[in-house]
Amino acid sequence: MSRQLNYVMAIREALFQAMQADPSLFMIGENMRAGIRPESRGLFQEFGDDRVIDMPISEAAFTGFATGAALAGGRVIVEYQVSSLIFPAFDQLVNQVAKLPYMLGGQRFLPVTFLIMGAGAGGGRAGQHSDNPYPYFLHAGIKTVFPTTPGDAKGLMLAAIAEDDPVAVFAPVGVYGTSGPVPEERIAMLLGQGVVRRAGTDVTVVAGGPHALQAVALAETLKEEGISLEVWDPLSLLPLDKAGLEASVNKTGRLVIYDDSNRTCGFAAEVAGLAAERCFHALKAPIKRVTRADVVIPYSAPIEAELLPTPNRLEAAVRAVLG
Amino acid sequence: MSRQLNYVMAIREALFQAMQADPSLFMIGENMRAGIRPESRGLFQEFGDDRVIDMPISEAAFTGFATGAALAGGRVIVEYQVSSLIFPAFDQLVNQVAKLPYMLGGQRFLPVTFLIMGAGAGGGRAGQHSDNPYPYFLHAGIKTVFPTTPGDAKGLMLAAIAEDDPVAVFAPVGVYGTSGPVPEERIAMLLGQGVVRRAGTDVTVVAGGPHALQAVALAETLKEEGISLEVWDPLSLLPLDKAGLEASVNKTGRLVIYDDSNRTCGFAAEVAGLAAERCFHALKAPIKRVTRADVVIPYSAPIEAELLPTPNRLEAAVRAVLG
Amino acid sequence: MPDADKQSLDTDAALYRRMRLLRRFEEMAGDLVRGGEIQSAVHDYIGQEAVAVGVCAALGPDDVITSTHRGHGHILAKGGDPARMLAELLGRESGYNKGRGGSMHIADLDLGIFGANGIVGAGAPMACGAAFMFKTRGESHVAVPFFGDGAMNQGVLLESFNLAVMLHLPVVFVCENNGYAVTTPIGEVLKGSILERAAGFGLAVEAADGMDVRAVRATAERAVARAREGGGPSFLEFGTCRYSVHNISAGAAWQDERAEAELADARGRDPIDRLAREMLAEGLWSPEDRTRIDAEVESELEGGLGFARNSRRPDPESAYDFMYARLYPGLPARGTDS
Amino acid sequence: MPDADKQSLDTDAALYRRMRLLRRFEEMAGDLVRGGEIQSAVHDYIGQEAVAVGVCAALGPDDVITSTHRGHGHILAKGGDPARMLAELLGRESGYNKGRGGSMHIADLDLGIFGANGIVGAGAPMACGAAFMFKTRGESHVAVPFFGDGAMNQGVLLESFNLAVMLHLPVVFVCENNGYAVTTPIGEVLKGSILERAAGFGLAVEAADGMDVRAVRATAERAVARAREGGGPSFLEFGTCRYSVHNISAGAAWQDERAEAELADARGRDPIDRLAREMLAEGLWSPEDRTRIDAEVESELEGGLGFARNSRRPDPESAYDFMYARLYPGLPARGTDS
Ligand SMILES: Cc1ncc(C[n+]2csc(CCOP(=O)(O)OP(=O)(O)O)c2C)c(N)n1
Ligand SMILES: Cc1ncc(C[n+]2csc(CCOP(=O)(O)OP(=O)(O)O)c2C)c(N)n1
Ligand SMILES: [Mg+2]
Ligand SMILES: [Mg+2]
């Protein structure tokens, strides 16, 4: 699988192959027909206007529309062009589609995939276009993946579409520019499987998306000093590979979580809580969280940078847990 | 302050006194005029239709309405009759009112109080009327209080209204029936101050609302066996009294969090994450979370009970950390 | 499952029988609330029977409805089994939702009942999604979201009006205007006309007397026929009256401010008595027929209640079932594991 | 702060000058984007100047506007200081939002500019809330939410129409219909008429040519006068055209499918040239006057850009400021403390 592909192109390939493979699958979102966004470019031309539908700026209604289509036996992909667009649709997400199968006593499950583009901060996207809101979905019990490499993007996008439950795919802007090996075939990865991006023995760093790549880079630097970082990437935030997390932390005895969602009740808090219960006896040092500050992301570069998790802060935390 | 008052009546008294004290304060919500809900009964008759306004079933718009009134110099209380009604208004809450003061560079702060009634499960209120959604607000950086006793309800309601920032007051149904001492005067409590509901030496139980009362009751039972529980009630979830939490955990060396919000990325996760960093060296046992399961709350009593945190499970967790 | 003929509403006698079933079902639910067998909220449908029954008389088994917090009437009108509904209200495993849902979430997807909903307006976009599936599959089915006057101010419903028009969907929006949202008169929160608001979205609109089941049926039949033939979505408003308080479990505490005169007037136009009177005047039946049908309804409900009471509650361990189609280790998280 | 006379728009020359300022401001912003001094999204207002300037000509300093993602024009029209706006776009401490906001959040509450907004439709309910304060305080001010055609499908805006009518608020809703939401033609997502949709909520509606600043001003003056006098809310639709791509930072990649002919036609009706021509024909000014005003605008913008470039960026440590009015220990949480 030496074929190299860009991250967003990998998502696009997954969408094309999934639509080809399942004629009952359709996709809704905003401004797809004109194909200004690379992930959906050409989809409309390929699959036509009854399978690729441009929606009005009605996030709540078109989310419920997808739910109703699924209740009627359809399979649907819903695209939100910016991560904060889940907020106008929030009731239809956390209070409707996420709850209906259970409230209905399992009469039907709802195969709806939520593709959330533009997740995360960077480049002055400011207060309403920089959120990484996956913790809201995790708290609501919505299955959620956070692909790091182009290969993950294709494999997890396909996995999300294959699932018979609502699954959210968060695509972090920080890796849009990256390329990597992506299999040509339509092969879904598995939910609930983390990956050791880099093996190490002294400290476990839990990180996904661009932050996983930064952690691996830091690991290379610290190697010089004989510090051995293990970088564990969850990839699937819900279900979470708790066994994989536990194995890594039990091995290293030290845990730093490096995550770009808000700190309070964020993903890092959940990981810390898990480790503090499951790995307590193996822990040699306090668990450290290196996260986004609980502050709105500002526009101006120096203050934006100040509020985001950085490799320097990760390094400081690593050194701190090494005592 | 021997005067006894019911929990909901204490909220009502706070609303009356705050409206009396500040003629610029007004309140919006649904079905207030008819006074069917005890917390707002009589408000309309007392303060008239330009200070107590019945809103249409437009949670998003009337939340933004409050924001705009505050931008124009007003002070507003917004009532949501059920906790899940924050979801249709979610963008206006976490993406607008919570972010505007910062995004505007501090040009104005927004004194809006969100009174969220009917928080929590019990009695078959089922999937869409049983949420305890405060973790969403904590993650969004919205100041949040969770009053346990009638005295807290009045004091924290007044504190929330006095604050120049948005503050959410979650009123858990589980304590609506309780009565207790409530000062007649209009005295606000302080945000960010937890309270030791019962002092102990062996295990710290962090719990608020009805669960704090249950924890105190359990402490009395376990006393017989010579097990000494300290029950620490945060009262203010954001800002959180981290020093108070730290002091208690450092004293007992054991922590169980007993919380009725969803488990993943919930309040208990945040408390566990804090303790696992700040109190690591004092901890003698794994941190345990006794929470609601990450499952939609069902209607039928036996399965509803199965999914909620119970004193029995708290007791089991306490015994587990005592080894 | 009620047998097929029980489902058809193509005679006036069947309309009467069904309305009577709705009425007596809710009265029974009220007794169960007062008797303490139901603790939770129950928003009864008494007084509004002609709307659900008249509309569903225009629908076939493959058509779909979405309902509201006040859903019992819609579900029975669409053919829901009172026994399984009562079992749900009593929190039994044999209930429609296996005891997971209760009053505000009863559904029977096999009967095209996409569920009551605890959130005002939330079902409407789902009806649009179902209608879209019908259209793209080349099926001639229709989707009918029911909602109240108060829902006319909820954004997601208004957005749904646009979706249905934009995609020319076979949707018939049904607004049950009982004049109030809990205690708030619609005139205080919606100035002007409900019909004009809907028409402004490009919906074909029509109103009829929601206390006259034949008028409702005739109106619904026109709208449904147009939708089936690809004529697009429409909006129907039916004026009606809720006799009880908003939520009978809240009881007298929620007594609203409606003048007795207003209620008395409505009771004077009671949809069930009205149809019965008309049928008698038209010689369509005899008083004995009515008595017989009433008795049938009683025994059906008695049988249903017996079935419900004799069913067992769900096993606590089953509480985790149905959250997901596919489970994973540690999913869903329990409240004590990590 | 621009001096008072700069703010008044009561002569045609002032209208011209302001429209020219909007146009050249956006052209300058475009240069800054292409030059790499602005990385972030910029939704320019070029082509739509007559709407913001015509509407704001009907407003006084105490009236309030809410704006959109395409906000520069509204802010300048309401009297915003180009220097502080440019400073904001360059992320400087001297910017309107101290560098916290950027293009999509510029605000000046002192000038009644309640801010651009990154979420379509989100500003409208805030305008209603401000209007409510005016009304209860006995002030005669008016609130004007600006929004695009695409926002007509967003629930919170539709809910706001109802709120304004229900509370009889001094609100003038201004829909800038440039025909597209990003690349999606309004006709594809909103069938029928924007005006009828608004009228259906009970709003007084009127439309005018958004490429004719005098027509816009006259229309706005009527609506604003009625609102001031307690006549209630209204809705204005102005047809206009966005010359550039939706977001100039996205550049050619976002080139939409609009036919050159469509753009050429719009440019032929350019609002700035049109007013200039009319004034000349009416003998209201000479070519020299125009040249002088253009030069003034250039120097104002040059000065503004100099001011912005010479201002410093915010100090990193200040990043935590303004999140709350009152701070507490550990609030807001930093990314590394616990
Ligand atoms: C979005 C939302 N807001 C508020 C509520 C609380 N609530 C439940 S029913 C109801 C009144 C609904 O009135 P209407 O739509 O006219 O239906 P009716 O009860 O009259 O049948 C309200 C406000 C809710 N369930 N959902
Ligand atoms: C609620 C919401 N949905 C989607 C977006 C993404 N978005 C930004 S601008 C825009 C188009 C808005 O069109 P219109 O309202 O006509 O304004 P215009 O850009 O034409 O001025 C979209 C879809 C958003 N910011 N907010
Ligand atoms: Mg009603
Ligand atoms: Mg537009």
Side-chain angles (χ1 to χ4, degrees):
Chain A
M1 37 172 262
S2 62
R3 199 264 310 237
Q4 301 281 309
L5 205 61
N6 160 273
Y7 186 94
V8 180
M9 288 300 111
I11 293 177
R12 179 171 180 270
E13 184 168 276
L15 294 173
F16 266 82
Q17 291 183 355
M19 295 278 283
Q20 253 133 15
D22 178 358
S24 82
L25 181 65
F26 71 100
M27 179 166 178
I28 63 176
E30 293 169 44
N31 320 117
M32 292 188 296
R33 197 195 60 182
I36 53 171
R37 291 199 163 71
E39 71 277 7
S40 58
R41 187 163 297 145
L43 269 178
F44 178 91
Q45 290 66 18
E46 176 75 19
F47 299 103
D49 63 1
D50 60 353
R51 293 188 62 198
V52 180
I53 302 118
D54 272 348
M55 284 283 140
I57 307 177
S58 308
E59 287 76 12
F62 73 64
T63 302
F65 178 90
T67 305
L71 283 166
R75 302 185 76 87
V76 196
I77 302 165
V78 183
E79 178 178 46
Y80 303 90
Q81 32 180 245
V82 188
S83 65
S84 57
L85 301 191
I86 65 173
F87 299 143
F90 209 67
D91 182 73
Q92 287 290 334
L93 288 163
V94 307
N95 207 27
Q96 303 291 341
V97 71
K99 289 178 175 178
L100 271 168
Y102 186 90
M103 294 193 295
L104 269 49
Q107 289 182 49
R108 196 153 301 164
F109 292 98
L110 301 174
V112 182
T113 305
F114 301 110
L115 173 57
I116 295 128
M117 301 300 294
R125 297 165 66 237
Q128 291 174 326
H129 288 70
S130 300
D131 285 333
N132 238 335
Y134 43 77
Y136 293 114
F137 278 14
L138 305 183
H139 188 66
I142 296 173
K143 292 178 174 179
T144 299
V145 297
F146 192 59
T148 297
T149 68
D152 303 332
K154 182 176 178 182
L156 290 172
M157 189 76 222
L158 289 169
I161 293 168
E163 201 80 355
D164 287 332
D165 295 308
V167 182
V169 179
F170 282 86
V173 279
V175 292
Y176 279 14
T178 62
S179 292
V182 177
E184 315 243 358
E185 307 72 32
R186 185 171 54 86
I187 306 170
M189 289 166 63
L190 296 175
L191 298 193
Q193 304 267 304
V195 57
V196 175
R197 290 237 171 258
R198 186 189 182 288
T201 54
D202 299 337
V203 180
T204 297
V205 175
V206 171
H211 298 78
L213 307 180
Q214 294 165 18
V216 169
L218 177 67
E220 294 311 322
T221 334
L222 293 181
K223 187 154 123 254
E224 321 294 285
E225 294 180 41
I227 299 176
S228 167
L229 291 193
E230 173 146 310
V231 178
W232 187 76
D233 184 341
L235 284 174
S236 172
L237 307 184
L238 191 79
L240 182 68
D241 179 1
K242 296 175 184 177
L245 169 68
E246 197 173 347
S248 178
V249 176
N250 283 341
K251 177 173 74 172
T252 64
R254 298 184 186 84
L255 173 60
V256 176
I257 307 127
Y258 184 47
D259 176 64
D260 184 31
S261 60
N262 291 356
R263 186 179 190 83
T264 300
C265 296
F267 178 65
E270 178 60 26
V271 172
L274 288 169
E277 175 164 8
R278 298 160 71 107
C279 310
F280 179 76
H281 300 292
L283 282 173
K284 304 174 195 148
I287 297 170
K288 288 213 167 285
R289 290 182 276 168
V290 178
T291 67
R292 180 180 288 202
D294 284 348
V295 176
V296 177
I297 299 303
Y299 170 71
S300 187
I303 48 178
E304 180 190 43
E306 168 66 23
L307 299 173
L308 298 174
T310 59
N312 289 348
R313 288 176 181 163
L314 174 58
E315 179 175 350
V318 164
R319 294 189 186 280
V321 295
L322 285 167
Chain B
M1 38 171 264
S2 62
R3 196 265 310 240
Q4 301 282 308
L5 205 60
N6 160 272
Y7 186 93
V8 180
M9 289 300 112
I11 293 177
R12 179 172 181 270
E13 185 168 276
L15 294 173
F16 267 82
Q17 291 183 355
M19 295 278 283
Q20 253 133 16
D22 177 0
S24 83
L25 180 66
F26 70 101
M27 180 167 178
I28 64 176
E30 294 170 45
N31 320 118
M32 292 188 297
R33 194 194 60 175
I36 54 170
R37 291 199 162 70
E39 70 276 9
S40 57
R41 187 162 298 146
L43 268 177
F44 177 91
Q45 289 66 18
E46 177 74 18
F47 299 103
D49 63 2
D50 61 352
R51 293 188 61 199
V52 180
I53 303 117
D54 272 348
M55 283 285 141
I57 305 176
S58 308
E59 287 76 13
F62 72 64
T63 301
F65 178 91
T67 305
L71 282 166
R75 302 185 76 89
V76 197
I77 302 165
V78 183
E79 177 177 48
Y80 303 90
Q81 14 177 265
V82 188
S83 64
S84 56
L85 301 191
I86 65 172
F87 299 142
F90 209 65
D91 182 71
Q92 287 290 334
L93 288 163
V94 307
N95 208 27
Q96 303 292 340
V97 71
K99 289 179 174 177
L100 272 167
Y102 186 89
M103 293 192 297
L104 269 50
Q107 289 182 48
R108 196 153 302 162
F109 291 98
L110 301 174
V112 182
T113 304
F114 301 110
L115 173 58
I116 296 127
M117 301 299 296
R125 296 164 67 236
Q128 291 173 327
H129 288 69
S130 298
D131 286 332
N132 239 335
Y134 44 77
Y136 293 113
F137 278 13
L138 304 183
H139 189 66
I142 296 173
K143 292 177 175 179
T144 299
V145 298
F146 192 59
T148 297
T149 69
D152 303 331
K154 181 176 179 181
L156 289 172
M157 188 78 220
L158 289 170
I161 294 168
E163 202 79 355
D164 287 333
D165 295 308
V167 183
V169 180
F170 282 85
V173 279
V175 293
Y176 280 14
T178 62
S179 290
V182 176
E184 315 244 358
E185 309 72 31
R186 184 171 56 84
I187 305 171
M189 289 166 61
L190 295 175
L191 298 192
Q193 303 268 303
V195 57
V196 174
R197 290 237 170 260
R198 184 188 182 288
T201 54
D202 301 336
V203 180
T204 296
V205 175
V206 171
H211 298 80
L213 308 179
Q214 294 165 20
V216 169
L218 177 66
E220 294 310 324
T221 331
L222 293 181
K223 186 152 125 260
E224 320 296 286
E225 295 180 39
I227 299 176
S228 167
L229 291 193
E230 172 146 310
V231 179
W232 186 77
D233 184 341
L235 285 174
S236 172
L237 307 184
L238 191 79
L240 181 68
D241 179 1
K242 296 174 183 176
L245 169 68
E246 199 174 345
S248 179
V249 176
N250 282 341
K251 177 173 73 172
T252 63
R254 297 183 186 83
L255 173 60
V256 176
I257 306 128
Y258 185 47
D259 176 64
D260 185 30
S261 61
N262 292 355
R263 186 180 190 82
T264 300
C265 297
F267 178 65
E270 178 60 26
V271 172
L274 288 170
E277 175 165 6
R278 299 160 68 107
C279 310
F280 180 77
H281 299 292
L283 282 172
K284 302 173 194 148
I287 297 170
K288 286 210 167 287
R289 291 182 276 167
V290 178
T291 67
R292 178 180 289 202
D294 284 346
V295 175
V296 177
I297 297 304
Y299 170 71
S300 187
I303 46 178
E304 179 190 43
E306 169 64 23
L307 298 174
L308 298 175
T310 59
N312 289 347
R313 289 178 180 161
L314 175 57
E315 179 175 350
V318 164
R319 293 188 187 282
V321 296
L322 285 167
Chain C
M1 289 286 308
D3 45 49
D5 76 323
K6 258 217 214 117
Q7 298 233 35
S8 91
L9 288 170
D10 43 22
T11 66
D12 288 332
L15 294 182
Y16 172 86
R17 186 189 197 289
R18 190 65 57 87
M19 289 198 291
R20 175 82 184 175
L21 179 68
L22 267 63
R23 174 74 53 96
R24 294 290 301 128
F25 181 94
E26 297 293 46
E27 286 169 353
M28 181 177 265
D31 293 338
L32 292 167
V33 165
R34 285 179 290 275
E37 284 185 79
I38 299 176
Q39 280 85 20
S40 67
V42 169
H43 307 90
D44 80 40
Y45 198 70
I46 294 176
Q48 306 187 188
E49 294 87 352
V51 181
V53 173
V55 168
C56 290
L59 301 178
D62 295 332
D63 296 319
V64 156
I65 66 167
T66 63
S67 176
T68 69
H69 57 286
R70 195 176 303 288
H72 302 169
H74 307 133
I75 294 156
L76 287 165
K78 189 67 168 58
D81 177 0
R84 296 186 61 197
M85 291 171 66
L86 286 163
E88 188 62 32
L89 292 182
L90 296 188
R92 302 306 210 269
E93 183 73 33
S94 60
Y96 263 123
N97 306 39
K98 299 195 166 61
R100 270 68 179 165
S103 173
M104 274 193 280
H105 304 292
I106 302 179
D108 182 345
L109 297 185
D110 297 332
L111 293 178
I113 299 162
F114 276 18
N117 203 304
I119 302 301
V120 168
M126 300 176 202
C128 293
F132 175 80
M133 292 305 293
F134 299 154
K135 192 178 172 191
T136 52
R137 289 197 205 116
E139 299 163 348
S140 63
H141 314 319
V142 172
V144 177
F146 286 96
F147 49 89
D149 47 288
M152 289 298 297
N153 293 323
Q154 181 62 211
V156 74
L157 176 63
L158 300 167
E159 290 181 350
S160 300
F161 293 162
N162 178 70
L163 263 188
V165 172
M166 164 192 157
L167 296 169
H168 201 67
L169 298 174
V171 176
V172 177
F173 293 96
V174 175
C175 179
E176 306 184 281
N177 184 357
N178 61 12
Y180 296 85
V182 189
T183 53
T184 302
I186 183 63
E188 287 184 12
V189 287
L190 189 156
K191 308 291 179 188
S193 145
I194 286 178
L195 278 191
E196 277 169 29
R197 178 172 296 187
F201 284 84
L203 290 163
V205 303
E206 191 172 353
D209 178 359
M211 304 299 271
D212 176 352
V213 68
R214 290 160 146 180
V216 171
R217 178 180 53 188
T219 310
E221 279 170 346
R222 280 190 294 276
V224 168
R226 186 172 56 254
R228 279 199 209 297
E229 293 150 12
S234 48
F235 177 100
L236 307 179
E237 177 189 6
F238 298 111
T240 181
C241 177
R242 146 171 71 79
Y243 294 175
S244 324
V245 295
H246 172 73
N247 164 11
I248 57 177
S249 307
W254 280 29
Q255 194 50 61
D256 42 52
E257 57 199 350
R258 291 179 295 174
E260 248 323 307
E262 183 180 342
L263 288 172
D265 163 72
R267 288 210 178 77
R269 298 180 288 113
D270 185 82
I272 302 179
D273 292 343
R274 175 186 180 142
L275 178 64
R277 266 199 321 276
E278 291 173 352
M279 288 171 63
L280 207 57
E282 296 162 20
L284 291 177
W285 70 354
S286 66
E288 296 63 39
D289 297 322
R290 179 177 187 176
T291 317
R292 197 195 68 255
I293 291 179
D294 290 357
E296 285 171 22
V297 167
E298 292 312 307
S299 60
E300 179 174 6
L301 286 172
E302 285 310 327
L305 184 56
F307 165 82
R309 283 179 169 149
N310 295 328
S311 303
R312 54 178 198 69
R313 291 196 167 71
D315 164 12
E317 250 317 296
S318 74
Y320 304 88
D321 301 345
F322 312 125
M323 184 68 192
Y324 300 104
R326 185 188 293 181
L327 300 177
Y328 291 85
L331 188 77
R334 297 191 167 218
T336 50
D337 67 16
S338 271
Chain D
M1 286 286 309
D3 45 46
D5 74 327
K6 259 215 213 120
Q7 298 232 34
S8 93
L9 288 171
D10 44 21
T11 66
D12 289 330
L15 293 182
Y16 171 86
R17 185 188 200 289
R18 191 65 58 88
M19 288 199 291
R20 175 82 185 176
L21 178 68
L22 267 63
R23 173 73 51 97
R24 294 292 301 128
F25 181 94
E26 296 292 48
E27 287 170 350
M28 182 178 264
D31 293 338
L32 293 167
V33 166
R34 286 179 289 276
E37 282 185 80
I38 299 176
Q39 280 84 21
S40 69
V42 169
H43 306 90
D44 80 40
Y45 197 70
I46 294 175
Q48 307 188 188
E49 293 88 353
V51 181
V53 172
V55 168
C56 291
L59 301 179
D62 295 332
D63 296 321
V64 156
I65 65 167
T66 64
S67 177
T68 68
H69 57 285
R70 195 175 304 287
H72 303 169
H74 308 133
I75 294 157
L76 287 166
K78 189 66 168 60
D81 177 359
R84 295 186 60 198
M85 291 170 66
L86 286 163
E88 188 62 32
L89 293 182
L90 296 188
R92 302 307 210 267
E93 183 73 34
S94 61
Y96 263 124
N97 306 41
K98 298 194 165 63
R100 271 70 180 163
S103 173
M104 275 193 277
H105 304 290
I106 302 178
D108 182 344
L109 297 185
D110 296 331
L111 293 178
I113 300 162
F114 276 17
N117 202 303
I119 302 301
V120 168
M126 301 175 201
C128 294
F132 175 81
M133 293 305 293
F134 299 153
K135 193 179 173 191
T136 52
R137 289 197 204 118
E139 300 162 348
S140 63
H141 314 318
V142 172
V144 177
F146 286 96
F147 49 88
D149 47 287
M152 289 298 296
N153 293 322
Q154 181 63 212
V156 73
L157 177 63
L158 300 167
E159 290 181 351
S160 300
F161 293 162
N162 179 70
L163 264 188
V165 172
M166 164 194 157
L167 296 170
H168 201 67
L169 298 174
V171 176
V172 177
F173 293 96
V174 174
C175 179
E176 305 184 281
N177 184 357
N178 62 12
Y180 296 85
V182 189
T183 53
T184 302
I186 182 65
E188 286 184 13
V189 287
L190 189 156
K191 308 290 179 187
S193 143
I194 286 177
L195 277 191
E196 278 170 28
R197 177 172 296 186
F201 284 83
L203 289 163
V205 303
E206 192 172 353
D209 179 359
M211 305 299 272
D212 177 352
V213 68
R214 290 160 147 181
V216 172
R217 177 180 54 187
T219 311
E221 278 169 345
R222 281 190 293 276
V224 168
R226 186 171 56 254
R228 281 200 209 294
E229 292 150 10
S234 48
F235 178 99
L236 307 180
E237 177 189 5
F238 299 111
T240 181
C241 177
R242 148 173 69 79
Y243 293 176
S244 324
V245 295
H246 172 73
N247 164 12
I248 56 175
S249 308
W254 281 28
Q255 195 49 60
D256 43 50
E257 58 200 350
R258 291 179 296 175
E260 247 323 307
E262 182 179 342
L263 288 173
D265 163 73
R267 288 210 177 78
R269 297 180 288 115
D270 185 82
I272 302 179
D273 293 342
R274 174 185 182 143
L275 178 63
R277 265 199 321 276
E278 290 173 351
M279 288 171 64
L280 206 57
E282 296 163 18
L284 292 178
W285 71 357
S286 66
E288 296 64 38
D289 296 323
R290 180 177 186 175
T291 317
R292 197 195 67 256
I293 292 180
D294 290 356
E296 285 172 22
V297 167
E298 292 312 305
S299 61
E300 179 174 6
L301 286 172
E302 284 310 326
L305 184 56
F307 166 81
R309 283 179 170 150
N310 295 331
S311 303
R312 53 177 199 72
R313 292 194 165 72
D315 162 15
E317 250 318 296
S318 74
Y320 305 87
D321 300 345
F322 312 125
M323 184 66 193
Y324 300 104
R326 186 187 294 179
L327 299 177
Y328 291 85
L331 188 77
R334 297 191 164 215
T336 50
D337 67 16
S338 271

